Amino acid sequence: MTQPILTVSQLNTLVREVLADTFQTILLTGEISNYVCAASGHWYFSLKDDKAQVRCAMFQGSNRRVSFKPADGMQVQVQCKVSLYTPRGEFQLVIETMEEMG
């Protein structure tokens, strides 16, 4: 039996589906770093702790419900979904809610 040959796009799509199926909605806490508000209104930033970081996106429809302006160094708790940005093959979190911690 021969193994099918995948394209990069097909592989990234499969990985994104596995991540979405494996990790439903999760709660996570961390420090905001590299915060950017894009012209589209979407927010892009990293969440980090003392040992690791992960890229995040919070789309305008979700970030409209946040009652504060995020800033680098701010500690937050987020509700998010694990995803893969398929065009670049980059692991990321898609943030649904955000609360300021202390």
Side-chain angles (χ1 to χ4, degrees):
M1 181 164 108
T2 60
Q3 192 172 17
I5 299 171
L6 300 174
T7 65
V8 173
S9 298
Q10 289 169 325
L11 173 64
N12 284 355
T13 298
L14 289 170
V15 170
R16 184 186 68 214
E17 291 170 1
V18 168
L19 287 170
D21 290 345
T22 303
F23 298 97
Q24 300 300 310
T25 300
I26 61 171
L27 290 174
L28 184 70
T29 185
E31 177 185 326
I32 293 176
S33 178
N34 302 312
Y35 170 81
V36 173
C37 180
S40 62
H42 304 327
W43 296 347
Y44 300 99
F45 53 94
S46 294
L47 277 180
K48 66 179 187 174
D49 60 23
D50 60 340
K51 296 181 181 146
Q53 68 178 356
V54 62
R55 293 294 301 156
C56 302
M58 188 171 196
F59 301 118
Q60 186 178 28
S62 296
N63 69 31
R64 285 182 186 167
R65 297 187 299 268
V66 176
S67 62
F68 60 91
K69 181 172 171 53
D72 288 356
M74 187 177 284
Q75 289 287 331
V76 294
Q77 177 178 301
V78 298
Q79 182 177 342
C80 57
K81 294 192 181 213
V82 177
S83 186
L84 183 89
Y85 182 60
T86 309
R88 288 197 297 257
E90 294 178 352
F91 169 72
Q92 70 177 5
L93 302 178
V94 176
I95 309 298
E96 297 172 342
T97 66
M98 180 188 295
E99 297 177 19
E100 193 171 4
M101 303 292 292

